[in-house]
Amino acid sequence: MSGYAMESATPAEIGIQALPPSDQWSTAPVVPAPVCRFENFLGAERAGTLLSYAISREADFNAGTVLDPLSGQVSHKGRSSLVLPVTSSVFSAHLADCLPLVQEVLGHRAALTQTLTVLTAHGEGGHYGIHTDASRVRDVGTALSAVYYLHREPRGFGGGRLRLYDTLLADGGARPAESYRTIEPEHDTIVFFPAGAFHEVVPSTCPSGHFADYRFTLTTWISGTGPAAAGPDDTFRIWPWLADAAERTRPLADVEHDHDGASPIALPAADPATRLTLPPPRRTS
């Protein structure tokens, strides 16, 4: 028994005078962008080899660019990073094997047929402001972005986290919300999310200044040629809303060449022997 006397609760009414005049109900939902993350994506040996390759190509990296959606002009506004366009059949095979599972997790049904990939390096002050990947793909409503992280261990940089912004649905349209999730750039991990999702890379630090201590990624844009297939649960999917929010960041005219010089390559078919699948659900007694 408690030593305190029990008293009956008396309900009190909160009148309008007790609330600020601007305090009103908001019915605009904020929807998080779907995201899928894998650890140990390539394995220690392949990840180490890829990192060594990236470091060895220091002289071949160039300043990363952005594409203005209105003017179509290429600039460095809002971005400080180094890029190197690359292709890799091994990396593409790993992507192909995990994409069926990624699409299942993200609720994605479009056929994906090609990839566009660049190595990036972020050193002291490296960053990439809030943006979408609409300038990288033809149909931002069905394309995926994938970021694979590489770095030396122990880590020689700080910061460099990915912020993936939620989408605010309001006034018959969509726009990036103020809320976001943070993804840590862990070595040999990869994260997938819709290409139409607003995201940014926060500034990094690199005390040594050595290129080998930079934050490296393989950034890939995965796209197809047709719209997503309809399904019974498509009445309120986030993908069309993400595409709507990203539309203002899309170049007005079709871009024939990637502004960082990357070239598309065909995505191979998943290998039935190595394709990733979800484990069966546990049975409850």
Side-chain angles (χ1 to χ4, degrees):
M1 287 290 292
S2 169
Y4 296 96
M6 300 295 291
E7 296 183 3
S8 60
T10 303
E13 181 180 354
I14 302 176
I16 189 65
Q17 295 81 5
L19 298 175
S22 62
D23 207 9
Q24 300 176 357
W25 288 107
S26 172
T27 57
V30 173
V31 184
V35 60
C36 182
R37 178 178 176 272
F38 293 94
E39 298 178 349
N40 306 313
F41 183 66
L42 293 183
E45 184 176 357
R46 283 178 172 167
T49 300
L50 181 55
L51 177 60
S52 297
Y53 172 82
I55 295 171
S56 72
R57 297 292 301 273
E58 177 180 2
D60 299 316
F61 279 78
N62 294 301
T65 61
V66 297
L67 186 65
D68 186 276
L70 296 179
S71 67
Q73 296 296 311
V74 175
S75 72
H76 305 288
K77 184 179 179 181
R79 183 181 187 185
S80 176
S81 61
L82 299 173
V83 301
L84 174 65
V86 294
T87 61
S88 169
S89 58
V90 173
F91 187 71
S92 293
H94 276 69
L95 287 177
D97 282 348
C98 74
L99 276 175
L101 176 55
V102 171
Q103 290 182 277
E104 185 175 351
V105 170
L106 300 186
H108 182 271
R109 293 186 181 85
L112 299 172
T113 59
Q114 67 178 30
T115 62
L116 196 72
T117 304
V118 296
L119 265 170
T120 74
H122 286 217
E124 183 66 32
H127 67 280
Y128 199 160
I130 300 177
H131 65 286
T132 75
D133 292 330
S135 66
R136 307 285 189 170
V137 296
R138 186 171 296 276
D139 183 2
V140 72
T142 59
L144 288 174
S145 296
V147 184
Y148 173 71
Y149 296 103
L150 292 161
H151 61 75
R152 295 177 77 178
E153 295 177 306
R155 188 185 298 184
F157 68 91
R161 298 173 184 86
L162 174 69
R163 286 180 177 174
L164 188 61
Y165 283 82
D166 300 334
T167 298
L168 177 68
L169 312 182
D171 303 323
R175 63 178 185 270
E178 295 183 0
S179 56
Y180 55 81
R181 281 172 291 172
T182 300
I183 297 169
E184 194 72 27
E186 297 287 355
H187 179 67
D188 197 23
T189 65
I190 190 169
V191 59
F192 295 84
F193 54 90
F198 279 83
H199 56 285
E200 72 172 317
V201 180
V202 302
S204 58
T205 61
C206 185
S208 73
H210 297 152
F211 187 71
D213 287 329
Y214 279 23
R215 167 196 181 273
F216 295 96
T217 73
L218 267 180
T219 302
T220 302
W221 301 278
I222 312 164
S223 59
T225 55
D233 59 343
D234 285 350
T235 54
F236 194 81
R237 291 177 59 211
I238 185 59
W239 288 84
W241 293 100
L242 290 169
D244 178 77
E247 197 57 38
R248 75 197 73 173
T249 70
R250 168 178 291 286
L252 294 180
D254 284 341
V255 179
E256 295 183 3
H257 305 287
D258 179 72
H259 50 89
D260 279 329
S263 299
I265 63 170
L267 184 69
D271 186 337
T274 53
R275 170 178 165 168
L276 297 181
T277 58
L278 283 173
R282 291 183 178 180
R283 291 174 173 257
T284 56
S285 56

